[in-house]
Amino acid sequence: MKIHDYIKESSKTLSQEEREERYKYLGKEVIDVNEPGLDSIAEFYGIVHAIWDDWADGRIDTKTALRRLALLKLLSFKGKNKKIQDIDDEDLEEVRKFIDYVRQIIKNKGRKRGEDISEE
């Protein structure tokens, strides 16, 4: 790819649908609290609820929901997300427990629906 093609492609104006696909949760559905990025407890809970809603409404499948929740849990560790250094460890542990709880519910209900949920 030539440099001009790359610049043209990366600077194009996105349609509403493309924008929604690109910014899954922090852009529109979950209000960004404080600075840009995942840096508050409220954002963690908001994203978990957004993933749950998308899964329950059938917009994403069980595997996708489980992967997104796993990534969110990974970002709840201070070593993986430098923006949460000021958040208490107890609060982050509560977020992780909530994520695990929602993952377990989605996993169990996915099995009841007959979905293949084997994680890669």
Side-chain angles (χ1 to χ4, degrees), residues 59-112:
R59 289 189 292 266
I60 59 174
D61 64 0
T62 300
K63 280 185 178 181
T64 302
L66 293 175
R67 281 190 216 115
R68 289 181 183 175
L69 289 168
L71 176 60
L72 188 63
K73 183 177 178 181
L74 184 67
L75 292 172
S76 72
F77 290 97
K78 291 183 178 182
K80 299 291 182 184
N81 184 357
K82 300 297 181 193
K83 294 185 175 193
I84 59 171
Q85 297 300 320
D86 297 335
I87 299 176
D88 291 335
D89 290 334
E90 295 83 23
D91 292 337
L92 291 171
E93 187 59 36
E94 287 298 316
V95 166
R96 288 184 210 112
K97 287 179 184 177
F98 182 66
I99 292 170
D100 287 340
Y101 174 73
V102 172
R103 285 188 84 226
Q104 192 61 46
I105 290 173
I106 290 175
K107 198 181 284 190
N108 290 341
K109 288 190 177 188
R111 283 189 188 118
K112 287 182 183 177

Side-chain angles (χ1 to χ4, degrees), residues 35-64:
E35 297 177 16
L38 186 58
D39 61 353
S40 72
I41 295 296
E43 288 174 329
F44 279 101
Y45 284 113
I47 293 171
V48 172
H49 286 289
I51 293 170
W52 170 266
D53 290 342
D54 282 354
W55 176 80
D57 292 340
R59 289 189 292 266
I60 59 174
D61 64 0
T62 300
K63 280 185 178 181
T64 302

